Protein backbone atom coordinates (compact mmCIF):
# COMPACT_ATOMS: atom_id res chain seq x y z
CA UNK A 1 0.00 0.00 0.00
CA UNK A 2 1.15 3.53 -0.75
CA UNK A 3 -0.87 6.08 1.29
CA UNK A 4 -0.38 9.85 1.71
CA UNK A 5 -2.45 11.79 4.26
CA UNK A 6 -2.38 15.50 5.07
CA UNK A 7 -4.16 18.40 6.74
CA UNK A 8 -3.30 22.04 6.09
CA UNK A 9 -5.26 24.70 7.96
CA UNK A 10 -5.29 28.16 9.46
CA UNK A 11 -7.43 29.78 12.11
CA UNK A 12 -7.78 31.85 15.27
CA UNK A 13 -6.11 30.85 18.53
CA UNK A 14 -6.59 31.98 22.14
CA UNK A 15 -4.25 31.25 25.01
CA UNK A 16 -3.58 32.03 28.65
CA UNK A 17 -0.10 31.88 30.19
CA UNK A 18 0.80 32.44 33.81
CA UNK A 19 3.70 32.05 36.21
CA UNK A 20 4.40 32.21 39.93
CA UNK A 21 7.70 33.13 41.54
CA UNK A 22 9.11 30.25 43.58
CA UNK A 23 12.37 31.86 44.70
CA UNK A 24 14.75 34.71 43.94
CA UNK A 25 14.82 38.43 43.36
CA UNK A 26 13.19 40.00 40.24
CA UNK A 27 16.13 42.41 39.79
CA UNK A 28 18.71 39.61 39.70
CA UNK A 29 17.56 36.00 39.21
CA UNK A 30 14.34 34.17 40.01
CA UNK A 31 12.87 30.70 39.58
CA UNK A 32 9.25 30.54 38.40
CA UNK A 33 6.63 27.88 37.85
CA UNK A 34 4.96 28.43 34.45
CA UNK A 35 1.72 27.03 33.03
CA UNK A 36 -0.79 27.82 30.32
CA UNK A 37 -3.60 26.59 28.09
CA UNK A 38 -4.57 27.27 24.48
CA UNK A 39 -7.50 26.59 22.18
CA UNK A 40 -8.01 27.13 18.46
CA UNK A 41 -10.10 26.14 15.47
CA UNK A 42 -8.24 25.47 12.23
CA UNK A 43 -10.08 25.66 8.90
CA UNK A 44 -8.49 23.79 6.02
CA UNK A 45 -8.18 20.82 3.67
CA UNK A 46 -7.96 17.20 4.76
CA UNK A 47 -6.59 14.96 1.98
CA UNK A 48 -5.83 11.29 1.46
CA UNK A 49 -4.44 9.50 -1.60
CA UNK A 50 -4.01 5.74 -1.53
CA UNK A 51 -3.04 2.97 -3.86
CA UNK A 52 -3.30 -0.64 -2.72
CA UNK A 53 -2.34 -3.71 -4.74
CA UNK A 54 -2.41 -7.38 -3.83
CA UNK A 55 -1.70 -10.53 -5.77
CA UNK A 56 -4.00 -13.43 -5.07
CA UNK A 57 -3.18 -17.00 -5.99
CA UNK A 58 -5.85 -19.53 -6.76
CA UNK A 59 -4.99 -23.23 -6.96
CA UNK A 60 -7.13 -25.61 -8.95
CA UNK A 61 -6.97 -29.35 -8.67
CA UNK A 62 -8.96 -31.89 -10.53
CA UNK A 63 -9.13 -35.63 -10.03
CA UNK A 64 -7.17 -36.32 -13.20
CA UNK A 65 -5.61 -32.84 -13.70
CA UNK A 66 -2.33 -31.35 -12.49
CA UNK A 67 -2.40 -28.49 -9.93
CA UNK A 68 -2.79 -25.11 -11.67
CA UNK A 69 -1.94 -21.77 -10.04
CA UNK A 70 -3.44 -18.53 -11.33
CA UNK A 71 -2.19 -15.14 -10.00
CA UNK A 72 -4.84 -12.43 -10.03
CA UNK A 73 -3.66 -8.86 -9.25
CA UNK A 74 -6.20 -6.67 -7.42
CA UNK A 75 -5.54 -2.92 -7.47
CA UNK A 76 -7.49 -0.06 -5.85
CA UNK A 77 -6.83 3.69 -5.92
CA UNK A 78 -8.67 6.20 -3.71
CA UNK A 79 -8.38 9.98 -3.50
CA UNK A 80 -10.43 12.23 -1.21
CA UNK A 81 -10.28 15.91 -0.31
CA UNK A 82 -12.57 17.58 2.20
CA UNK A 83 -12.81 21.03 3.79
CA UNK A 84 -12.98 20.64 7.57
CA UNK A 85 -12.82 22.60 10.84
CA UNK A 86 -10.36 21.05 13.32
CA UNK A 87 -10.62 22.07 17.00
CA UNK A 88 -7.43 22.11 19.08
CA UNK A 89 -6.70 22.26 22.81
CA UNK A 90 -3.35 22.29 24.50
CA UNK A 91 -1.41 23.22 27.56
CA UNK A 92 1.99 23.31 29.20
CA UNK A 93 3.65 23.28 32.61
CA UNK A 94 7.28 24.04 33.39
CA UNK A 95 9.97 25.84 35.35
CA UNK A 96 11.95 28.91 34.32
CA UNK A 97 15.14 30.55 35.46
CA UNK A 98 14.74 34.29 34.79
CA UNK A 99 17.53 36.83 34.54
CA UNK A 100 17.10 40.59 33.89
CA UNK A 101 17.47 40.14 30.08
CA UNK A 102 17.13 36.38 29.55
CA UNK A 103 15.08 33.34 30.47
CA UNK A 104 15.72 29.57 30.31
CA UNK A 105 12.63 27.31 30.48
CA UNK A 106 12.08 23.55 30.73
CA UNK A 107 8.73 21.81 30.81
CA UNK A 108 6.15 19.56 29.19
CA UNK A 109 3.67 20.54 26.46
CA UNK A 110 0.68 18.78 24.89
CA UNK A 111 -1.58 19.66 21.93
CA UNK A 112 -4.53 17.64 20.59
CA UNK A 113 -6.08 18.30 17.17
CA UNK A 114 -9.48 16.56 17.02
CA UNK A 115 -10.36 14.78 13.75
CA UNK A 116 -7.40 16.26 11.87
CA UNK A 117 -6.43 13.23 9.79
CA UNK A 118 -8.49 11.11 7.38
CA UNK A 119 -7.16 7.65 8.30
CA UNK A 120 -9.59 5.63 6.21
CA UNK A 121 -8.75 3.64 3.12
CA UNK A 122 -12.00 2.93 1.26
CA UNK A 123 -14.08 5.44 3.24
CA UNK A 124 -13.41 8.52 5.37
CA UNK A 125 -12.52 7.82 9.01
CA UNK A 126 -11.09 10.64 11.13
CA UNK A 127 -8.35 10.34 13.72
CA UNK A 128 -6.96 12.83 16.23
CA UNK A 129 -3.39 14.08 15.90
CA UNK A 130 -1.54 14.52 19.22
CA UNK A 131 1.74 16.29 19.87
CA UNK A 132 3.26 16.07 23.33
CA UNK A 133 6.58 15.92 25.09
CA UNK A 134 9.25 17.88 26.90
CA UNK A 135 10.38 21.29 25.72
CA UNK A 136 13.25 23.66 26.39
CA UNK A 137 13.54 27.31 25.38
CA UNK A 138 15.99 30.17 25.74
CA UNK A 139 14.85 33.79 25.45
CA UNK A 140 17.20 36.76 25.25
CA UNK A 141 15.95 40.33 25.54
CA UNK A 142 17.56 43.47 24.25
CA UNK A 143 17.08 45.58 27.39
CA UNK A 144 17.42 49.28 27.06
Amino acid sequence: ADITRSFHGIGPSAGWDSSAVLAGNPERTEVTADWGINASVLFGKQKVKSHHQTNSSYHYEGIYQPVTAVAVPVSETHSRSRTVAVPNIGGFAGLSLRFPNAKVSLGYRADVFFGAIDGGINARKTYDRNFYGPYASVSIGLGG
Side-chain angles (χ1 to χ4, degrees):
D2 181 22
I3 303 172
T4 304
R5 304 173 198 284
S6 66
F7 171 76
H8 297 278
I10 189 168
S13 176
W16 175 73
D17 298 344
S18 190
S19 63
V21 176
L22 299 176
N25 180 337
E27 293 163 8
R28 298 183 75 200
T29 304
E30 61 185 2
V31 176
T32 62
D34 307 319
W35 63 92
I37 57 172
N38 63 280
S40 67
V41 178
L42 302 177
F43 301 95
K45 279 276 196 221
Q46 189 179 67
K47 295 180 182 180
V48 63
K49 293 180 183 177
S50 67
H51 178 76
H52 180 256
Q53 183 171 334
T54 58
N55 289 318
S56 302
S57 295
Y58 298 94
H59 301 280
Y60 298 99
E61 285 186 53
I63 296 175
Y64 300 107
Q65 296 177 323
V67 175
T68 309
V70 178
V72 179
V74 177
S75 179
E76 293 181 345
T77 299
H78 298 280
S79 182
R80 287 186 302 280
S81 179
R82 185 177 184 124
T83 301
V84 295
V86 174
N88 158 250
I89 61 169
F92 73 93
L95 294 172
S96 292
L97 184 59
R98 295 180 185 227
F99 303 97
N101 288 327
K103 180 172 92 167
V104 177
S105 301
L106 300 171
Y108 193 86
R109 176 164 191 81
D111 269 296
V112 180
F113 296 85
F114 298 98
I117 298 296
D118 180 350
I121 296 176
N122 294 335
R124 182 173 182 260
K125 184 174 181 182
T126 60
Y127 289 91
D128 300 342
R129 177 59 94 190
N130 306 321
F131 298 96
Y132 51 89
Y135 72 87
S137 68
V138 176
S139 304
I140 298 174
L142 303 173

